[in-house]
PDB file of all heavy atoms in Angstrom:
ATOM      1  N   ALA A  62      10.921  16.726   0.865  1.00  0.00           N
ATOM      2  CA  ALA A  62      10.588  15.881  -0.280  1.00  0.00           C
ATOM      3  C   ALA A  62       9.185  15.316  -0.121  1.00  0.00           C
ATOM      4  O   ALA A  62       8.675  15.182   0.997  1.00  0.00           O
ATOM      5  CB  ALA A  62      11.597  14.742  -0.416  1.00  0.00           C
ATOM      6  N   ASP A  63       8.552  15.031  -1.248  1.00  0.00           N
ATOM      7  CA  ASP A  63       7.202  14.467  -1.230  1.00  0.00           C
ATOM      8  C   ASP A  63       7.276  12.933  -1.281  1.00  0.00           C
ATOM      9  O   ASP A  63       7.752  12.364  -2.270  1.00  0.00           O
ATOM     10  CB  ASP A  63       6.387  14.999  -2.421  1.00  0.00           C
ATOM     11  CG  ASP A  63       6.097  16.488  -2.297  1.00  0.00           C
ATOM     12  OD1 ASP A  63       5.848  16.951  -1.167  1.00  0.00           O
ATOM     13  OD2 ASP A  63       6.125  17.181  -3.338  1.00  0.00           O
ATOM     14  N   TRP A  64       6.794  12.305  -0.238  1.00  0.00           N
ATOM     15  CA  TRP A  64       6.792  10.846  -0.130  1.00  0.00           C
ATOM     16  C   TRP A  64       5.373  10.321  -0.322  1.00  0.00           C
ATOM     17  O   TRP A  64       4.413  10.895   0.191  1.00  0.00           O
ATOM     18  CB  TRP A  64       7.281  10.398   1.250  1.00  0.00           C
ATOM     19  CG  TRP A  64       8.711  10.739   1.565  1.00  0.00           C
ATOM     20  CD1 TRP A  64       9.218  11.970   1.825  1.00  0.00           C
ATOM     21  CD2 TRP A  64       9.799   9.817   1.664  1.00  0.00           C
ATOM     22  NE1 TRP A  64      10.558  11.900   2.081  1.00  0.00           N
ATOM     23  CE2 TRP A  64      10.947  10.577   1.998  1.00  0.00           C
ATOM     24  CE3 TRP A  64       9.925   8.445   1.514  1.00  0.00           C
ATOM     25  CZ2 TRP A  64      12.198   9.998   2.184  1.00  0.00           C
ATOM     26  CZ3 TRP A  64      11.171   7.862   1.707  1.00  0.00           C
ATOM     27  CH2 TRP A  64      12.287   8.625   2.032  1.00  0.00           C
ATOM     28  N   GLN A  65       5.266   9.269  -1.068  1.00  0.00           N
ATOM     29  CA  GLN A  65       3.973   8.608  -1.258  1.00  0.00           C
ATOM     30  C   GLN A  65       3.735   7.644  -0.094  1.00  0.00           C
ATOM     31  O   GLN A  65       4.602   6.846   0.253  1.00  0.00           O
ATOM     32  CB  GLN A  65       3.984   7.831  -2.577  1.00  0.00           C
ATOM     33  CG  GLN A  65       2.666   7.165  -2.936  1.00  0.00           C
ATOM     34  CD  GLN A  65       2.812   6.297  -4.181  1.00  0.00           C
ATOM     35  OE1 GLN A  65       3.297   5.164  -4.120  1.00  0.00           O
ATOM     36  NE2 GLN A  65       2.425   6.853  -5.334  1.00  0.00           N
ATOM     37  N   LEU A  66       2.561   7.745   0.517  1.00  0.00           N
ATOM     38  CA  LEU A  66       2.215   6.884   1.646  1.00  0.00           C
ATOM     39  C   LEU A  66       1.338   5.728   1.167  1.00  0.00           C
ATOM     40  O   LEU A  66       0.328   5.941   0.497  1.00  0.00           O
ATOM     41  CB  LEU A  66       1.482   7.677   2.727  1.00  0.00           C
ATOM     42  CG  LEU A  66       0.938   6.870   3.924  1.00  0.00           C
ATOM     43  CD1 LEU A  66       2.082   6.224   4.705  1.00  0.00           C
ATOM     44  CD2 LEU A  66       0.093   7.763   4.830  1.00  0.00           C
ATOM     45  N   ARG A  67       1.750   4.516   1.509  1.00  0.00           N
ATOM     46  CA  ARG A  67       0.954   3.329   1.204  1.00  0.00           C
ATOM     47  C   ARG A  67       0.677   2.599   2.514  1.00  0.00           C
ATOM     48  O   ARG A  67       1.605   2.282   3.263  1.00  0.00           O
ATOM     49  CB  ARG A  67       1.685   2.401   0.235  1.00  0.00           C
ATOM     50  CG  ARG A  67       1.973   3.062  -1.123  1.00  0.00           C
ATOM     51  CD  ARG A  67       2.449   2.041  -2.133  1.00  0.00           C
ATOM     52  NE  ARG A  67       2.689   2.628  -3.446  1.00  0.00           N
ATOM     53  CZ  ARG A  67       2.709   1.939  -4.582  1.00  0.00           C
ATOM     54  NH1 ARG A  67       2.499   0.624  -4.574  1.00  0.00           N
ATOM     55  NH2 ARG A  67       2.939   2.536  -5.728  1.00  0.00           N
ATOM     56  N   ASP A  68      -0.599   2.332   2.765  1.00  0.00           N
ATOM     57  CA  ASP A  68      -0.995   1.745   4.049  1.00  0.00           C
ATOM     58  C   ASP A  68      -1.935   0.566   3.798  1.00  0.00           C
ATOM     59  O   ASP A  68      -2.976   0.712   3.147  1.00  0.00           O
ATOM     60  CB  ASP A  68      -1.690   2.794   4.921  1.00  0.00           C
ATOM     61  CG  ASP A  68      -1.805   2.359   6.368  1.00  0.00           C
ATOM     62  OD1 ASP A  68      -1.738   1.142   6.642  1.00  0.00           O
ATOM     63  OD2 ASP A  68      -1.967   3.234   7.240  1.00  0.00           O
ATOM     64  N   SER A  69      -1.563  -0.595   4.323  1.00  0.00           N
ATOM     65  CA  SER A  69      -2.383  -1.797   4.137  1.00  0.00           C
ATOM     66  C   SER A  69      -3.547  -1.854   5.114  1.00  0.00           C
ATOM     67  O   SER A  69      -4.458  -2.659   4.952  1.00  0.00           O
ATOM     68  CB  SER A  69      -1.513  -3.047   4.316  1.00  0.00           C
ATOM     69  OG  SER A  69      -1.025  -3.115   5.646  1.00  0.00           O
ATOM     70  N   GLY A  70      -3.489  -1.017   6.157  1.00  0.00           N
ATOM     71  CA  GLY A  70      -4.542  -1.036   7.160  1.00  0.00           C
ATOM     72  C   GLY A  70      -4.355  -2.110   8.218  1.00  0.00           C
ATOM     73  O   GLY A  70      -5.162  -2.234   9.139  1.00  0.00           O
ATOM     74  N   SER A  71      -3.290  -2.890   8.116  1.00  0.00           N
ATOM     75  CA  SER A  71      -3.042  -3.968   9.075  1.00  0.00           C
ATOM     76  C   SER A  71      -1.883  -3.648  10.012  1.00  0.00           C
ATOM     77  O   SER A  71      -1.367  -4.529  10.694  1.00  0.00           O
ATOM     78  CB  SER A  71      -2.727  -5.270   8.327  1.00  0.00           C
ATOM     79  OG  SER A  71      -1.559  -5.109   7.520  1.00  0.00           O
ATOM     80  N   GLY A  72      -1.475  -2.393  10.033  1.00  0.00           N
ATOM     81  CA  GLY A  72      -0.375  -1.977  10.902  1.00  0.00           C
ATOM     82  C   GLY A  72       0.921  -1.745  10.165  1.00  0.00           C
ATOM     83  O   GLY A  72       1.797  -1.038  10.647  1.00  0.00           O
ATOM     84  N   SER A  73       1.068  -2.327   8.983  1.00  0.00           N
ATOM     85  CA  SER A  73       2.268  -2.133   8.190  1.00  0.00           C
ATOM     86  C   SER A  73       2.024  -1.041   7.157  1.00  0.00           C
ATOM     87  O   SER A  73       0.959  -0.989   6.544  1.00  0.00           O
ATOM     88  CB  SER A  73       2.649  -3.440   7.482  1.00  0.00           C
ATOM     89  OG  SER A  73       3.797  -3.254   6.675  1.00  0.00           O
ATOM     90  N   LYS A  74       3.007  -0.185   6.992  1.00  0.00           N
ATOM     91  CA  LYS A  74       2.858   0.922   6.034  1.00  0.00           C
ATOM     92  C   LYS A  74       4.178   1.161   5.326  1.00  0.00           C
ATOM     93  O   LYS A  74       5.233   0.663   5.750  1.00  0.00           O
ATOM     94  CB  LYS A  74       2.379   2.186   6.751  1.00  0.00           C
ATOM     95  CG  LYS A  74       3.290   2.644   7.862  1.00  0.00           C
ATOM     96  CD  LYS A  74       2.695   3.829   8.624  1.00  0.00           C
ATOM     97  CE  LYS A  74       1.543   3.412   9.494  1.00  0.00           C
ATOM     98  NZ  LYS A  74       1.994   2.623  10.681  1.00  0.00           N
ATOM     99  N   SER A  75       4.135   1.947   4.246  1.00  0.00           N
ATOM    100  CA  SER A  75       5.341   2.223   3.467  1.00  0.00           C
ATOM    101  C   SER A  75       5.348   3.666   3.015  1.00  0.00           C
ATOM    102  O   SER A  75       4.291   4.258   2.743  1.00  0.00           O
ATOM    103  CB  SER A  75       5.428   1.310   2.238  1.00  0.00           C
ATOM    104  OG  SER A  75       5.425  -0.048   2.599  1.00  0.00           O
ATOM    105  N   LEU A  76       6.546   4.220   2.917  1.00  0.00           N
ATOM    106  CA  LEU A  76       6.757   5.526   2.309  1.00  0.00           C
ATOM    107  C   LEU A  76       7.651   5.324   1.090  1.00  0.00           C
ATOM    108  O   LEU A  76       8.656   4.611   1.166  1.00  0.00           O
ATOM    109  CB  LEU A  76       7.430   6.487   3.290  1.00  0.00           C
ATOM    110  CG  LEU A  76       6.573   7.006   4.448  1.00  0.00           C
ATOM    111  CD1 LEU A  76       7.427   7.863   5.384  1.00  0.00           C
ATOM    112  CD2 LEU A  76       5.392   7.825   3.929  1.00  0.00           C
ATOM    113  N   VAL A  77       7.278   5.941  -0.034  1.00  0.00           N
ATOM    114  CA  VAL A  77       8.020   5.769  -1.284  1.00  0.00           C
ATOM    115  C   VAL A  77       8.477   7.131  -1.787  1.00  0.00           C
ATOM    116  O   VAL A  77       7.680   8.063  -1.887  1.00  0.00           O
ATOM    117  CB  VAL A  77       7.146   5.088  -2.365  1.00  0.00           C
ATOM    118  CG1 VAL A  77       7.953   4.902  -3.641  1.00  0.00           C
ATOM    119  CG2 VAL A  77       6.607   3.752  -1.859  1.00  0.00           C
ATOM    120  N   LEU A  78       9.774   7.220  -2.105  1.00  0.00           N
ATOM    121  CA  LEU A  78      10.339   8.464  -2.629  1.00  0.00           C
ATOM    122  C   LEU A  78      11.010   8.181  -3.966  1.00  0.00           C
ATOM    123  O   LEU A  78      11.826   7.268  -4.087  1.00  0.00           O
ATOM    124  CB  LEU A  78      11.368   9.032  -1.648  1.00  0.00           C
ATOM    125  CG  LEU A  78      12.117  10.282  -2.120  1.00  0.00           C
ATOM    126  CD1 LEU A  78      11.160  11.462  -2.307  1.00  0.00           C
ATOM    127  CD2 LEU A  78      13.239  10.640  -1.140  1.00  0.00           C
ATOM    128  N   GLU A  79      10.651   8.968  -4.984  1.00  0.00           N
ATOM    129  CA  GLU A  79      11.309   8.927  -6.294  1.00  0.00           C
ATOM    130  C   GLU A  79      12.169  10.181  -6.388  1.00  0.00           C
ATOM    131  O   GLU A  79      11.645  11.303  -6.444  1.00  0.00           O
ATOM    132  CB  GLU A  79      10.265   8.916  -7.417  1.00  0.00           C
ATOM    133  CG  GLU A  79       9.280   7.759  -7.363  1.00  0.00           C
ATOM    134  CD  GLU A  79       9.861   6.472  -7.911  1.00  0.00           C
ATOM    135  OE1 GLU A  79      10.990   6.512  -8.456  1.00  0.00           O
ATOM    136  OE2 GLU A  79       9.191   5.425  -7.806  1.00  0.00           O
ATOM    137  N   GLU A  80      13.492   9.968  -6.382  1.00  0.00           N
ATOM    138  CA  GLU A  80      14.387  11.134  -6.330  1.00  0.00           C
ATOM    139  C   GLU A  80      15.711  10.819  -7.016  1.00  0.00           C
ATOM    140  O   GLU A  80      16.354   9.801  -6.727  1.00  0.00           O
ATOM    141  CB  GLU A  80      14.642  11.525  -4.867  1.00  0.00           C
ATOM    142  CG  GLU A  80      15.486  12.775  -4.674  1.00  0.00           C
ATOM    143  CD  GLU A  80      14.743  14.068  -5.004  1.00  0.00           C
ATOM    144  OE1 GLU A  80      13.501  14.076  -4.909  1.00  0.00           O
ATOM    145  OE2 GLU A  80      15.406  15.053  -5.364  1.00  0.00           O
ATOM    146  N   SER A  81      16.117  11.697  -7.947  1.00  0.00           N
ATOM    147  CA  SER A  81      17.430  11.620  -8.602  1.00  0.00           C
ATOM    148  C   SER A  81      17.678  10.274  -9.272  1.00  0.00           C
ATOM    149  O   SER A  81      18.803   9.752  -9.265  1.00  0.00           O
ATOM    150  CB  SER A  81      18.546  11.912  -7.579  1.00  0.00           C
ATOM    151  OG  SER A  81      18.355  13.158  -6.960  1.00  0.00           O
ATOM    152  N   GLY A  82      16.631   9.680  -9.841  1.00  0.00           N
ATOM    153  CA  GLY A  82      16.772   8.411 -10.530  1.00  0.00           C
ATOM    154  C   GLY A  82      16.705   7.194  -9.616  1.00  0.00           C
ATOM    155  O   GLY A  82      16.830   6.054 -10.089  1.00  0.00           O
ATOM    156  N   TYR A  83      16.492   7.419  -8.323  1.00  0.00           N
ATOM    157  CA  TYR A  83      16.400   6.315  -7.369  1.00  0.00           C
ATOM    158  C   TYR A  83      14.972   6.182  -6.840  1.00  0.00           C
ATOM    159  O   TYR A  83      14.218   7.158  -6.781  1.00  0.00           O
ATOM    160  CB  TYR A  83      17.332   6.550  -6.173  1.00  0.00           C
ATOM    161  CG  TYR A  83      18.786   6.692  -6.535  1.00  0.00           C
ATOM    162  CD1 TYR A  83      19.439   7.915  -6.383  1.00  0.00           C
ATOM    163  CD2 TYR A  83      19.514   5.611  -7.034  1.00  0.00           C
ATOM    164  CE1 TYR A  83      20.780   8.067  -6.711  1.00  0.00           C
ATOM    165  CE2 TYR A  83      20.848   5.753  -7.363  1.00  0.00           C
ATOM    166  CZ  TYR A  83      21.472   6.984  -7.208  1.00  0.00           C
ATOM    167  OH  TYR A  83      22.802   7.121  -7.545  1.00  0.00           O
ATOM    168  N   THR A  84      14.640   4.971  -6.459  1.00  0.00           N
ATOM    169  CA  THR A  84      13.391   4.723  -5.744  1.00  0.00           C
ATOM    170  C   THR A  84      13.775   4.211  -4.362  1.00  0.00           C
ATOM    171  O   THR A  84      14.513   3.226  -4.237  1.00  0.00           O
ATOM    172  CB  THR A  84      12.528   3.665  -6.455  1.00  0.00           C
ATOM    173  OG1 THR A  84      12.181   4.152  -7.757  1.00  0.00           O
ATOM    174  CG2 THR A  84      11.251   3.402  -5.668  1.00  0.00           C
ATOM    175  N   ILE A  85      13.274   4.892  -3.343  1.00  0.00           N
ATOM    176  CA  ILE A  85      13.577   4.514  -1.962  1.00  0.00           C
ATOM    177  C   ILE A  85      12.275   4.171  -1.262  1.00  0.00           C
ATOM    178  O   ILE A  85      11.308   4.944  -1.300  1.00  0.00           O
ATOM    179  CB  ILE A  85      14.312   5.642  -1.216  1.00  0.00           C
ATOM    180  CG1 ILE A  85      15.669   5.897  -1.888  1.00  0.00           C
ATOM    181  CG2 ILE A  85      14.486   5.292   0.257  1.00  0.00           C
ATOM    182  CD1 ILE A  85      16.454   7.040  -1.283  1.00  0.00           C
ATOM    183  N   VAL A  86      12.252   3.020  -0.641  1.00  0.00           N
ATOM    184  CA  VAL A  86      11.062   2.549   0.073  1.00  0.00           C
ATOM    185  C   VAL A  86      11.407   2.356   1.540  1.00  0.00           C
ATOM    186  O   VAL A  86      12.397   1.692   1.883  1.00  0.00           O
ATOM    187  CB  VAL A  86      10.542   1.211  -0.505  1.00  0.00           C
ATOM    188  CG1 VAL A  86       9.336   0.716   0.294  1.00  0.00           C
ATOM    189  CG2 VAL A  86      10.178   1.373  -1.981  1.00  0.00           C
ATOM    190  N   LEU A  87      10.602   2.948   2.397  1.00  0.00           N
ATOM    191  CA  LEU A  87      10.687   2.715   3.840  1.00  0.00           C
ATOM    192  C   LEU A  87       9.453   1.912   4.213  1.00  0.00           C
ATOM    193  O   LEU A  87       8.330   2.342   3.941  1.00  0.00           O
ATOM    194  CB  LEU A  87      10.725   4.030   4.621  1.00  0.00           C
ATOM    195  CG  LEU A  87      11.804   5.047   4.228  1.00  0.00           C
ATOM    196  CD1 LEU A  87      11.705   6.282   5.123  1.00  0.00           C
ATOM    197  CD2 LEU A  87      13.197   4.429   4.322  1.00  0.00           C
ATOM    198  N   ALA A  88       9.627   0.756   4.817  1.00  0.00           N
ATOM    199  CA  ALA A  88       8.479  -0.105   5.122  1.00  0.00           C
ATOM    200  C   ALA A  88       8.612  -0.716   6.505  1.00  0.00           C
ATOM    201  O   ALA A  88       9.703  -1.080   6.943  1.00  0.00           O
ATOM    202  CB  ALA A  88       8.357  -1.218   4.074  1.00  0.00           C
ATOM    203  N   GLY A  89       7.473  -0.820   7.204  1.00  0.00           N
ATOM    204  CA  GLY A  89       7.487  -1.440   8.526  1.00  0.00           C
ATOM    205  C   GLY A  89       6.244  -1.106   9.315  1.00  0.00           C
ATOM    206  O   GLY A  89       5.291  -0.506   8.801  1.00  0.00           O
ATOM    207  N   GLY A  90       6.262  -1.479  10.577  1.00  0.00           N
ATOM    208  CA  GLY A  90       5.103  -1.250  11.447  1.00  0.00           C
ATOM    209  C   GLY A  90       5.310  -0.129  12.433  1.00  0.00           C
ATOM    210  O   GLY A  90       4.627  -0.076  13.463  1.00  0.00           O
ATOM    211  N   ALA A  91       6.258   0.760  12.156  1.00  0.00           N
ATOM    212  CA  ALA A  91       6.558   1.867  13.065  1.00  0.00           C
ATOM    213  C   ALA A  91       5.481   2.941  12.990  1.00  0.00           C
ATOM    214  O   ALA A  91       4.606   2.939  12.115  1.00  0.00           O
ATOM    215  CB  ALA A  91       7.925   2.453  12.724  1.00  0.00           C
ATOM    216  N   ASP A  92       5.550   3.880  13.928  1.00  0.00           N
ATOM    217  CA  ASP A  92       4.637   5.022  13.921  1.00  0.00           C
ATOM    218  C   ASP A  92       5.075   6.006  12.836  1.00  0.00           C
ATOM    219  O   ASP A  92       6.241   6.036  12.425  1.00  0.00           O
ATOM    220  CB  ASP A  92       4.635   5.719  15.283  1.00  0.00           C
ATOM    221  CG  ASP A  92       4.166   4.798  16.402  1.00  0.00           C
ATOM    222  OD1 ASP A  92       3.329   3.912  16.116  1.00  0.00           O
ATOM    223  OD2 ASP A  92       4.647   4.964  17.541  1.00  0.00           O
ATOM    224  N   LEU A  93       4.126   6.848  12.416  1.00  0.00           N
ATOM    225  CA  LEU A  93       4.444   7.790  11.336  1.00  0.00           C
ATOM    226  C   LEU A  93       5.516   8.793  11.744  1.00  0.00           C
ATOM    227  O   LEU A  93       6.316   9.217  10.900  1.00  0.00           O
ATOM    228  CB  LEU A  93       3.167   8.532  10.914  1.00  0.00           C
ATOM    229  CG  LEU A  93       2.227   7.748   9.984  1.00  0.00           C
ATOM    230  CD1 LEU A  93       0.951   8.542   9.720  1.00  0.00           C
ATOM    231  CD2 LEU A  93       2.924   7.395   8.668  1.00  0.00           C
ATOM    232  N   ASP A  94       5.564   9.181  13.020  1.00  0.00           N
ATOM    233  CA  ASP A  94       6.606  10.126  13.420  1.00  0.00           C
ATOM    234  C   ASP A  94       7.995   9.480  13.331  1.00  0.00           C
ATOM    235  O   ASP A  94       8.996  10.159  13.059  1.00  0.00           O
ATOM    236  CB  ASP A  94       6.346  10.665  14.826  1.00  0.00           C
ATOM    237  CG  ASP A  94       6.277   9.572  15.876  1.00  0.00           C
ATOM    238  OD1 ASP A  94       6.067   8.403  15.512  1.00  0.00           O
ATOM    239  OD2 ASP A  94       6.429   9.897  17.068  1.00  0.00           O
ATOM    240  N   GLU A  95       8.053   8.150  13.519  1.00  0.00           N
ATOM    241  CA  GLU A  95       9.324   7.451  13.360  1.00  0.00           C
ATOM    242  C   GLU A  95       9.694   7.351  11.880  1.00  0.00           C
ATOM    243  O   GLU A  95      10.861   7.482  11.508  1.00  0.00           O
ATOM    244  CB  GLU A  95       9.238   6.070  13.996  1.00  0.00           C
ATOM    245  CG  GLU A  95       9.068   6.117  15.515  1.00  0.00           C
ATOM    246  CD  GLU A  95       8.815   4.765  16.141  1.00  0.00           C
ATOM    247  OE1 GLU A  95       8.064   3.957  15.541  1.00  0.00           O
ATOM    248  OE2 GLU A  95       9.369   4.500  17.220  1.00  0.00           O
ATOM    249  N   PHE A  96       8.686   7.125  11.025  1.00  0.00           N
ATOM    250  CA  PHE A  96       8.930   7.156   9.584  1.00  0.00           C
ATOM    251  C   PHE A  96       9.431   8.539   9.173  1.00  0.00           C
ATOM    252  O   PHE A  96      10.331   8.657   8.333  1.00  0.00           O
ATOM    253  CB  PHE A  96       7.645   6.831   8.825  1.00  0.00           C
ATOM    254  CG  PHE A  96       7.425   5.364   8.575  1.00  0.00           C
ATOM    255  CD1 PHE A  96       6.665   4.604   9.437  1.00  0.00           C
ATOM    256  CD2 PHE A  96       7.978   4.733   7.465  1.00  0.00           C
ATOM    257  CE1 PHE A  96       6.455   3.252   9.213  1.00  0.00           C
ATOM    258  CE2 PHE A  96       7.785   3.382   7.227  1.00  0.00           C
ATOM    259  CZ  PHE A  96       7.016   2.631   8.102  1.00  0.00           C
ATOM    260  N   ASP A  97       8.833   9.572   9.746  1.00  0.00           N
ATOM    261  CA  ASP A  97       9.241  10.941   9.408  1.00  0.00           C
ATOM    262  C   ASP A  97      10.704  11.186   9.770  1.00  0.00           C
ATOM    263  O   ASP A  97      11.442  11.837   9.022  1.00  0.00           O
ATOM    264  CB  ASP A  97       8.354  11.950  10.137  1.00  0.00           C
ATOM    265  CG  ASP A  97       6.927  11.972   9.602  1.00  0.00           C
ATOM    266  OD1 ASP A  97       6.686  11.387   8.521  1.00  0.00           O
ATOM    267  OD2 ASP A  97       6.052  12.565  10.267  1.00  0.00           O
ATOM    268  N   ALA A  98      11.139  10.653  10.932  1.00  0.00           N
ATOM    269  CA  ALA A  98      12.525  10.860  11.358  1.00  0.00           C
ATOM    270  C   ALA A  98      13.494  10.200  10.382  1.00  0.00           C
ATOM    271  O   ALA A  98      14.507  10.798   9.981  1.00  0.00           O
ATOM    272  CB  ALA A  98      12.719  10.303  12.770  1.00  0.00           C
ATOM    273  N   LEU A  99      13.193   8.950   9.980  1.00  0.00           N
ATOM    274  CA  LEU A  99      14.072   8.259   9.033  1.00  0.00           C
ATOM    275  C   LEU A  99      13.992   8.902   7.651  1.00  0.00           C
ATOM    276  O   LEU A  99      15.008   9.063   6.965  1.00  0.00           O
ATOM    277  CB  LEU A  99      13.685   6.776   8.944  1.00  0.00           C
ATOM    278  CG  LEU A  99      14.548   5.905   8.033  1.00  0.00           C
ATOM    279  CD1 LEU A  99      16.020   5.998   8.423  1.00  0.00           C
ATOM    280  CD2 LEU A  99      14.083   4.448   8.073  1.00  0.00           C
TER     281      LEU A  99
END
């Protein structure tokens, strides 16, 4: 799936997915490979 990446530049970042009528946001200060796993 294609996730939109939003990065504040202060260590916190978010991934946003629009899928099947839902919006899912993953947000936190984790590494990108950890975001990829979730």
Side-chain angles (χ1 to χ4, degrees):
D63 292 322
W64 296 71
Q65 184 186 80
L66 175 63
R67 298 191 178 201
D68 194 339
S69 64
S71 61
S73 178
K74 58 185 73 72
S75 302
L76 288 176
V77 181
L78 176 64
E79 302 280 353
E80 184 73 26
S81 304
Y83 301 112
T84 298
I85 297 177
V86 178
L87 306 181
D92 299 329
L93 281 176
D94 59 341
E95 294 173 320
F96 272 94
D97 290 347
L99 182 55

